[in-house]
Amino acid sequence: MGVTIKDVAREAKVSVASVSRALNGHGGVTAETLERIREVAARLRYIPHGAARSLITRRTHTIGALLPDLYGEFFSELIRGIDLAARVHGLQLLVSSSHDGSAEAAAALRAMQGRVDGLLVMSPHADAAFLRQNLPVGLPTVLMNTVLERDDYAALSVDNAGGARLVVEHLLGEGYRRIAFIQGPVGNHDVAEREQAYRDALAARMPGVPPIVLPGEFDEASGYRAGQRLVAMSPRPDAVFAANDMMAIGCMAAIREAGLRIPEDIAVAGFDDVPMARYVSPALTTAGVRIAELGKAALDQLAGQIDGDADAAAPVHVRIPAELMVRASSARNHASKAAASD
Amino acid sequence: MGVTIKDVAREAKVSVASVSRALNGHGGVTAETLERIREVAARLRYIPHGAARSLITRRTHTIGALLPDLYGEFFSELIRGIDLAARVHGLQLLVSSSHDGSAEAAAALRAMQGRVDGLLVMSPHADAAFLRQNLPVGLPTVLMNTVLERDDYAALSVDNAGGARLVVEHLLGEGYRRIAFIQGPVGNHDVAEREQAYRDALAARMPGVPPIVLPGEFDEASGYRAGQRLVAMSPRPDAVFAANDMMAIGCMAAIREAGLRIPEDIAVAGFDDVPMARYVSPALTTAGVRIAELGKAALDQLAGQIDGDADAAAPVHVRIPAELMVRASSARNHASKAAASD
DNA sequence: GAGGGCAACGTAAACGTTTTCATCGCTGCT
DNA sequence: AGCAGCGATGAAAACGTTTACGTTGCCCTC
């Protein structure tokens, strides 16, 4: 079907070895044969077969990314960061996502064997046992936002606790006292860290005041439902901290529909700083993670491992700091001015 | 380095052929040998080498996606649609994006040879000559939003003209008379179609009224700049139609900063219906393309070609219709009610 | 002029699979 | 008892590359 290196060799009246050398610039070919081979290859529209090549070279120039989902701005930004860094390193991207179920994630992971030089893993299923079972030994791997007990792999994660603490302390500093929290999916490790930090900060600064925790699912709809429950409570909370921005945005809609003002009646804050956060009105206060930076850092780390730099061989654990973005949705005291903070 | 099928064969005291048959469920193996091979494979953590396998089977179960960019909600949605459909067909995704320059795009395309079963191409560089030069013959390919003269490939594109016409006619219907248009990047085919439809609709419904066209670059910043120019014009336009949503959102910010009201002083409309469009305030009127649907349709078409269904073999040209989403940013006459239209 | 060295080129092995074909032993039938 | 048929298994080719190694021919040097 396709034209192979043999076809080029035959047509140029040389051996396949010479074609390979010529086209890869390895030298050892006369200028005129080089030219002839080039001409024939172009004329025949020869394109080397990647799988065959990487079978022998043991390099695919591709990295695999195992993600829990592709939906929403978080992953959009993450992939963008990964892709940008990948281009710098001359790597392609094999993505696999939204596998519901550990078995499916395992299949996706195994299907990548032999087609990638390294792996970027961000998956709720990625516990130590899962990885040991499904990762080829010796394949460079970087984990993202994954809870793991041992130091087998390099890992990057966002500083959930630090970011959540910043948000809660900011709300307290603005004078809000009854601060509610909207959770994400149960079992999600990021959510657990954020919630714990919320509880800790509250306990530290407002001892005796009980936390108010509402369920959520990371999507806008569940934030909306949480908002409805919120406005019906008595006494009504005067601030809400959602575990991610999309829920915060849904929550804002529910609050507005109840005829309440943001931030005068209820302040709202989120987590992630998705691009949309600054465009909703009032603009959303949030703990910003440079999401694209996270992706870039992960890929850079992975590329280091792949290139076998001994210095990069040691599994590192990096926490990406979260940064507080104060916007109008929480600025009770200086509502309009704070909107300029981004 | 990795454990291969030979290791399993040796350990299980059978030939590699039997291991292959056993693990792939091709039958022809006794129940007990099957069990033994399975046990050994699991114990050794054997994972088949994808490149080697696809070299002989000529199937990679992967499709390549060549995209101009990964930034923004449009591509986020597009990839999501593609990914969702890919999972249904059991395909993985090799993405390559943001190549500035035809040469880079060509390299990305060629690097996919042998690693994919089909190609999804959406690139400004993808003219007929480029494709003929860099596409292996016989590789199933579906083009998205690409202008091409001949019918060599299947192609899907959004109905830019129809969507733009809907927007302009809606604005006219609401009573707006001086409607400006914000362009996208020069040379972009989608933009050209939208602009032409804008001009046509204006000429048809308001003969003699000259079109007002401002430059733009598809990003929020250029929309903002266009908005600044807009409010400074005299006579001032009373409506603006941006070639995409992000520019419309940037434009809205400029209008607000000038102290004007939306939609009372100036109506705003966009194109794409990105998720953010319904969250900005006022919510943005836009011509909605089911972006994820576009991706899904493209991948379904490609999968059909790959499976060699003779019925899907004929190159098809499909136009995805655009749908008008009327929201508050353009509803002069019934401002608050129209917001409920989504 | 013989021999050494080197550049250009070809031969063939190797990468890790799948699959065709042949072999072997067995069963069941005549 | 012999033989056809069949199920289980193994040997080997094939996929399209890269590359180690061998061969050839030439030039240079002594």
Side-chain angles (χ1 to χ4, degrees):
Chain A
M1 185 157 300
V3 28
T4 80
I5 197 173
K6 290 183 188 168
D7 300 322
V8 179
R10 187 175 344 103
E11 188 78 8
K13 304 195 194 319
V14 292
S15 72
V16 292
S18 292
V19 177
S20 175
R21 277 189 289 255
L23 261 29
N24 291 323
H26 283 298
V29 244
T30 261
E32 49 204 332
T33 41
L34 174 67
E35 187 47 42
R36 179 159 36 103
I37 291 173
R38 280 233 182 91
E39 183 271 330
V40 171
R43 178 156 49 83
L44 263 44
R45 290 205 226 302
Y46 167 65
I47 303 179
H49 192 284
R53 186 204 295 249
S54 60
L55 182 58
I56 184 81
T57 61
R58 313 187 143 278
R59 270 310 188 93
T60 65
H61 297 288
T62 303
I63 73 112
L66 190 72
L67 301 176
D69 197 349
L70 281 183
Y71 184 69
E73 307 199 41
F74 181 86
F75 293 103
S76 169
E77 275 293 291
L78 185 64
I79 292 190
R80 189 170 72 93
I82 294 173
D83 178 72
L84 248 42
R87 283 190 59 226
V88 172
H89 293 281
L91 296 169
Q92 293 201 285
L93 226 52
L94 187 60
V95 310
S96 184
S97 74
S98 43
H99 11 69
D100 26 49
S102 169
E104 205 176 326
L109 212 49
R110 303 174 122 254
M112 287 184 174
Q113 163 74 335
R115 340 186 84 110
V116 298
D117 292 338
L119 236 32
L120 236 42
V121 175
M122 178 168 180
S123 167
H125 311 294
D127 56 12
F130 174 87
L131 292 172
R132 225 190 326 280
Q133 193 63 32
N134 297 296
L135 277 189
V137 290
L139 188 65
T141 301
V142 170
L143 269 30
M144 296 164 62
N145 280 23
T146 302
V147 45
L148 81 175
E149 47 271 36
R150 290 166 49 200
D151 282 354
D152 294 335
Y153 305 99
L156 282 82
S157 50
V158 314
D159 184 7
N160 290 306
R165 185 165 8 92
L166 286 176
V167 170
V168 174
E169 287 180 350
H170 158 70
L171 290 173
L172 290 170
E174 291 286 321
Y176 299 101
R177 284 300 169 258
R178 298 184 47 79
I179 304 174
F181 179 79
I182 307 179
Q183 296 173 311
V186 292
N188 182 298
H189 186 243
D190 293 311
V191 170
E193 287 190 342
R194 291 170 196 177
E195 177 175 348
Q196 191 56 49
Y198 155 79
R199 290 178 182 273
D200 289 350
L202 223 54
R205 297 278 304 266
M206 305 284 291
V209 174
I212 308 163
V213 174
L214 297 166
E217 287 297 330
F218 264 178
D219 59 352
E220 184 238 346
S222 66
Y224 183 84
R225 287 191 299 272
Q228 288 179 319
R229 290 187 46 184
L230 200 72
V231 297
M233 292 175 121
S234 84
R236 198 176 62 213
D238 60 356
V240 54
F241 171 28
N244 79 348
D245 285 348
M246 289 315 290
M247 291 194 298
I249 289 169
C251 186
M252 282 174 58
I255 292 171
R256 246 196 319 258
E257 282 186 14
L260 300 176
R261 292 162 308 163
I262 304 169
E264 290 81 359
D265 297 317
I266 303 184
V268 180
F271 205 111
D272 283 349
D273 193 21
V274 296
M276 197 188 293
R278 69 192 56 188
Y279 294 115
V280 295
S281 91
L284 180 66
T285 289
T286 185
V289 208
R290 291 269 140 264
I291 306 174
E293 282 297 315
L294 171 63
K296 171 175 164 20
L299 196 125
D300 285 342
Q301 160 70 23
L302 184 58
Q305 279 189 45
I306 291 174
D307 292 343
D309 302 345
D311 53 349
V316 295
H317 280 217
V318 177
R319 282 256 169 200
I320 309 282
E323 185 181 350
L324 182 65
M325 309 298 289
V326 176
R327 303 205 179 95
S329 73
S330 71
R332 169 184 269 170
N333 298 332
H334 38 96
S336 63
K337 290 312 268 191
S341 80
D342 54 349
Chain B
M1 183 155 299
V3 26
T4 78
I5 198 173
K6 290 183 188 170
D7 301 321
V8 179
R10 188 177 341 107
E11 187 79 5
K13 302 194 199 316
V14 292
S15 72
V16 292
S18 293
V19 177
S20 175
R21 278 188 289 256
L23 262 28
N24 290 323
H26 283 297
V29 234
T30 263
E32 48 203 333
T33 40
L34 174 67
E35 185 49 42
R36 180 158 38 100
I37 291 173
R38 279 233 182 91
E39 183 272 329
V40 171
R43 179 157 50 82
L44 261 44
R45 292 204 224 303
Y46 167 65
I47 302 178
H49 193 284
R53 188 204 292 250
S54 59
L55 183 57
I56 185 81
T57 61
R58 313 187 145 277
R59 271 308 188 96
T60 64
H61 297 288
T62 304
I63 71 113
L66 189 73
L67 301 176
D69 198 347
L70 283 183
Y71 184 67
E73 306 198 42
F74 182 86
F75 293 103
S76 169
E77 275 293 291
L78 185 64
I79 292 190
R80 189 172 73 92
I82 294 172
D83 178 72
L84 249 41
R87 283 191 57 227
V88 172
H89 292 282
L91 296 169
Q92 294 202 283
L93 224 53
L94 187 61
V95 309
S96 186
S97 73
S98 42
H99 11 68
D100 26 49
S102 170
E104 206 175 326
L109 211 51
R110 305 175 120 250
M112 287 183 172
Q113 161 76 333
R115 343 187 83 110
V116 298
D117 293 337
L119 237 31
L120 234 44
V121 175
M122 178 167 178
S123 167
H125 311 294
D127 55 13
F130 175 86
L131 293 172
R132 224 191 326 281
Q133 194 62 32
N134 298 297
L135 276 189
V137 290
L139 188 65
T141 302
V142 170
L143 268 29
M144 295 163 64
N145 279 21
T146 301
V147 44
L148 82 177
E149 46 272 34
R150 288 167 49 199
D151 282 354
D152 294 335
Y153 305 99
L156 283 82
S157 50
V158 315
D159 184 8
N160 290 306
R165 187 169 1 96
L166 286 176
V167 170
V168 174
E169 286 179 351
H170 157 72
L171 290 173
L172 289 170
E174 290 286 321
Y176 298 101
R177 285 297 170 262
R178 295 184 51 79
I179 305 173
F181 180 80
I182 307 179
Q183 296 173 310
V186 293
N188 182 297
H189 187 243
D190 293 311
V191 170
E193 288 189 341
R194 291 169 197 178
E195 178 175 346
Q196 191 54 51
Y198 154 80
R199 291 177 183 273
D200 289 349
L202 222 55
R205 297 278 304 266
M206 305 285 291
V209 175
I212 309 163
V213 174
L214 299 165
E217 287 297 329
F218 264 179
D219 60 353
E220 183 239 347
S222 67
Y224 182 85
R225 287 191 300 272
Q228 288 178 318
R229 290 187 47 185
L230 200 71
V231 297
M233 291 175 122
S234 86
R236 201 175 60 211
D238 59 357
V240 55
F241 170 30
N244 80 347
D245 285 349
M246 289 315 289
M247 290 195 299
I249 289 170
C251 186
M252 282 173 58
I255 292 171
R256 246 195 320 260
E257 282 186 16
L260 300 175
R261 293 163 307 162
I262 304 170
E264 291 81 357
D265 296 319
I266 303 185
V268 179
F271 205 110
D272 284 348
D273 194 20
V274 297
M276 196 189 292
R278 68 191 58 184
Y279 294 114
V280 295
S281 90
L284 180 66
T285 290
T286 185
V289 206
R290 293 266 141 266
I291 305 173
E293 282 298 317
L294 171 63
K296 173 174 164 15
L299 196 126
D300 286 342
Q301 160 71 23
L302 184 58
Q305 279 189 43
I306 291 174
D307 293 342
D309 303 345
D311 52 348
V316 294
H317 281 218
V318 177
R319 282 257 168 198
I320 309 281
E323 185 181 351
L324 183 64
M325 310 297 289
V326 176
R327 302 203 181 94
S329 74
S330 70
R332 170 185 268 170
N333 298 332
H334 38 97
S336 63
K337 292 310 270 189
S341 80
D342 56 346

PDB file of all heavy atoms in Angstrom, chain A residues 225-239:
ATOM      1  N   ARG A 225     -27.141  23.953  42.439  1.00  0.00           N
ATOM      2  CA  ARG A 225     -27.954  23.303  43.479  1.00  0.00           C
ATOM      3  C   ARG A 225     -27.454  23.671  44.869  1.00  0.00           C
ATOM      4  O   ARG A 225     -28.241  23.967  45.770  1.00  0.00           O
ATOM      5  CB  ARG A 225     -27.914  21.770  43.292  1.00  0.00           C
ATOM      6  CG  ARG A 225     -28.718  21.282  42.094  1.00  0.00           C
ATOM      7  CD  ARG A 225     -28.870  19.766  42.126  1.00  0.00           C
ATOM      8  NE  ARG A 225     -27.583  19.068  42.070  1.00  0.00           N
ATOM      9  CZ  ARG A 225     -26.974  18.728  40.944  1.00  0.00           C
ATOM     10  NH1 ARG A 225     -27.538  19.018  39.777  1.00  0.00           N
ATOM     11  NH2 ARG A 225     -25.825  18.103  40.960  1.00  0.00           N
ATOM     12  N   ALA A 226     -26.142  23.693  45.022  1.00  0.00           N
ATOM     13  CA  ALA A 226     -25.589  24.067  46.324  1.00  0.00           C
ATOM     14  C   ALA A 226     -25.977  25.499  46.667  1.00  0.00           C
ATOM     15  O   ALA A 226     -26.298  25.816  47.817  1.00  0.00           O
ATOM     16  CB  ALA A 226     -24.072  23.905  46.310  1.00  0.00           C
ATOM     17  N   GLY A 227     -25.986  26.359  45.664  1.00  0.00           N
ATOM     18  CA  GLY A 227     -26.362  27.745  45.878  1.00  0.00           C
ATOM     19  C   GLY A 227     -27.806  27.853  46.346  1.00  0.00           C
ATOM     20  O   GLY A 227     -28.140  28.646  47.239  1.00  0.00           O
ATOM     21  N   GLN A 228     -28.669  27.058  45.754  1.00  0.00           N
ATOM     22  CA  GLN A 228     -30.072  27.060  46.170  1.00  0.00           C
ATOM     23  C   GLN A 228     -30.218  26.654  47.631  1.00  0.00           C
ATOM     24  O   GLN A 228     -30.982  27.250  48.387  1.00  0.00           O
ATOM     25  CB  GLN A 228     -30.870  26.110  45.277  1.00  0.00           C
ATOM     26  CG  GLN A 228     -31.076  26.628  43.866  1.00  0.00           C
ATOM     27  CD  GLN A 228     -31.843  25.646  43.003  1.00  0.00           C
ATOM     28  OE1 GLN A 228     -31.609  24.441  43.061  1.00  0.00           O
ATOM     29  NE2 GLN A 228     -32.773  26.165  42.212  1.00  0.00           N
ATOM     30  N   ARG A 229     -29.504  25.635  48.012  1.00  0.00           N
ATOM     31  CA  ARG A 229     -29.567  25.210  49.411  1.00  0.00           C
ATOM     32  C   ARG A 229     -28.999  26.290  50.325  1.00  0.00           C
ATOM     33  O   ARG A 229     -29.500  26.529  51.419  1.00  0.00           O
ATOM     34  CB  ARG A 229     -28.766  23.917  49.590  1.00  0.00           C
ATOM     35  CG  ARG A 229     -29.416  22.716  48.923  1.00  0.00           C
ATOM     36  CD  ARG A 229     -28.671  21.447  49.279  1.00  0.00           C
ATOM     37  NE  ARG A 229     -28.371  21.341  50.716  1.00  0.00           N
ATOM     38  CZ  ARG A 229     -27.654  20.362  51.248  1.00  0.00           C
ATOM     39  NH1 ARG A 229     -27.156  19.420  50.470  1.00  0.00           N
ATOM     40  NH2 ARG A 229     -27.439  20.328  52.535  1.00  0.00           N
ATOM     41  N   LEU A 230     -27.970  26.937  49.818  1.00  0.00           N
ATOM     42  CA  LEU A 230     -27.276  27.945  50.602  1.00  0.00           C
ATOM     43  C   LEU A 230     -28.199  29.099  50.980  1.00  0.00           C
ATOM     44  O   LEU A 230     -28.285  29.496  52.150  1.00  0.00           O
ATOM     45  CB  LEU A 230     -26.115  28.482  49.750  1.00  0.00           C
ATOM     46  CG  LEU A 230     -24.981  29.183  50.441  1.00  0.00           C
ATOM     47  CD1 LEU A 230     -24.157  28.169  51.195  1.00  0.00           C
ATOM     48  CD2 LEU A 230     -24.111  29.885  49.394  1.00  0.00           C
ATOM     49  N   VAL A 231     -28.894  29.637  49.995  1.00  0.00           N
ATOM     50  CA  VAL A 231     -29.713  30.819  50.246  1.00  0.00           C
ATOM     51  C   VAL A 231     -30.918  30.484  51.127  1.00  0.00           C
ATOM     52  O   VAL A 231     -31.519  31.368  51.727  1.00  0.00           O
ATOM     53  CB  VAL A 231     -30.194  31.453  48.917  1.00  0.00           C
ATOM     54  CG1 VAL A 231     -29.009  31.931  48.113  1.00  0.00           C
ATOM     55  CG2 VAL A 231     -31.040  30.471  48.127  1.00  0.00           C
ATOM     56  N   ALA A 232     -31.251  29.202  51.210  1.00  0.00           N
ATOM     57  CA  ALA A 232     -32.413  28.800  52.010  1.00  0.00           C
ATOM     58  C   ALA A 232     -32.034  28.552  53.468  1.00  0.00           C
ATOM     59  O   ALA A 232     -32.905  28.350  54.310  1.00  0.00           O
ATOM     60  CB  ALA A 232     -33.041  27.541  51.415  1.00  0.00           C
ATOM     61  N   MET A 233     -30.762  28.555  53.755  1.00  0.00           N
ATOM     62  CA  MET A 233     -30.333  28.251  55.114  1.00  0.00           C
ATOM     63  C   MET A 233     -30.614  29.433  56.052  1.00  0.00           C
ATOM     64  O   MET A 233     -30.645  30.582  55.625  1.00  0.00           O
ATOM     65  CB  MET A 233     -28.827  27.957  55.145  1.00  0.00           C
ATOM     66  CG  MET A 233     -28.435  26.682  54.440  1.00  0.00           C
ATOM     67  SD  MET A 233     -26.631  26.491  54.416  1.00  0.00           S
ATOM     68  CE  MET A 233     -26.451  24.960  55.267  1.00  0.00           C
ATOM     69  N   SER A 234     -30.837  29.077  57.313  1.00  0.00           N
ATOM     70  CA  SER A 234     -30.919  30.164  58.287  1.00  0.00           C
ATOM     71  C   SER A 234     -30.233  29.711  59.566  1.00  0.00           C
ATOM     72  O   SER A 234     -30.526  28.617  60.059  1.00  0.00           O
ATOM     73  CB  SER A 234     -32.378  30.562  58.541  1.00  0.00           C
ATOM     74  OG  SER A 234     -32.951  29.726  59.505  1.00  0.00           O
ATOM     75  N   PRO A 235     -29.328  30.470  60.088  1.00  0.00           N
ATOM     76  CA  PRO A 235     -28.878  31.734  59.487  1.00  0.00           C
ATOM     77  C   PRO A 235     -28.152  31.490  58.177  1.00  0.00           C
ATOM     78  O   PRO A 235     -27.482  30.471  58.028  1.00  0.00           O
ATOM     79  CB  PRO A 235     -27.918  32.293  60.544  1.00  0.00           C
ATOM     80  CG  PRO A 235     -27.415  31.094  61.266  1.00  0.00           C
ATOM     81  CD  PRO A 235     -28.561  30.117  61.301  1.00  0.00           C
ATOM     82  N   ARG A 236     -28.261  32.435  57.285  1.00  0.00           N
ATOM     83  CA  ARG A 236     -27.687  32.269  55.961  1.00  0.00           C
ATOM     84  C   ARG A 236     -26.196  32.561  56.005  1.00  0.00           C
ATOM     85  O   ARG A 236     -25.775  33.552  56.618  1.00  0.00           O
ATOM     86  CB  ARG A 236     -28.373  33.255  55.021  1.00  0.00           C
ATOM     87  CG  ARG A 236     -28.211  32.925  53.548  1.00  0.00           C
ATOM     88  CD  ARG A 236     -29.004  33.890  52.707  1.00  0.00           C
ATOM     89  NE  ARG A 236     -28.521  35.249  52.891  1.00  0.00           N
ATOM     90  CZ  ARG A 236     -29.307  36.311  52.844  1.00  0.00           C
ATOM     91  NH1 ARG A 236     -30.609  36.178  52.660  1.00  0.00           N
ATOM     92  NH2 ARG A 236     -28.793  37.516  52.989  1.00  0.00           N
ATOM     93  N   PRO A 237     -25.399  31.716  55.376  1.00  0.00           N
ATOM     94  CA  PRO A 237     -23.962  32.016  55.281  1.00  0.00           C
ATOM     95  C   PRO A 237     -23.765  33.341  54.547  1.00  0.00           C
ATOM     96  O   PRO A 237     -24.581  33.715  53.699  1.00  0.00           O
ATOM     97  CB  PRO A 237     -23.409  30.852  54.460  1.00  0.00           C
ATOM     98  CG  PRO A 237     -24.389  29.749  54.658  1.00  0.00           C
ATOM     99  CD  PRO A 237     -25.733  30.395  54.816  1.00  0.00           C
ATOM    100  N   ASP A 238     -22.704  34.044  54.861  1.00  0.00           N
ATOM    101  CA  ASP A 238     -22.447  35.304  54.163  1.00  0.00           C
ATOM    102  C   ASP A 238     -21.295  35.180  53.168  1.00  0.00           C
ATOM    103  O   ASP A 238     -20.867  36.155  52.560  1.00  0.00           O
ATOM    104  CB  ASP A 238     -22.178  36.430  55.170  1.00  0.00           C
ATOM    105  CG  ASP A 238     -20.972  36.131  56.058  1.00  0.00           C
ATOM    106  OD1 ASP A 238     -20.409  35.023  55.936  1.00  0.00           O
ATOM    107  OD2 ASP A 238     -20.610  36.995  56.876  1.00  0.00           O
ATOM    108  N   ALA A 239     -20.799  33.959  53.018  1.00  0.00           N
ATOM    109  CA  ALA A 239     -19.752  33.731  52.016  1.00  0.00           C
ATOM    110  C   ALA A 239     -19.732  32.243  51.675  1.00  0.00           C
ATOM    111  O   ALA A 239     -20.127  31.407  52.495  1.00  0.00           O
ATOM    112  CB  ALA A 239     -18.384  34.159  52.545  1.00  0.00           C
TER     113      ALA A 239
END
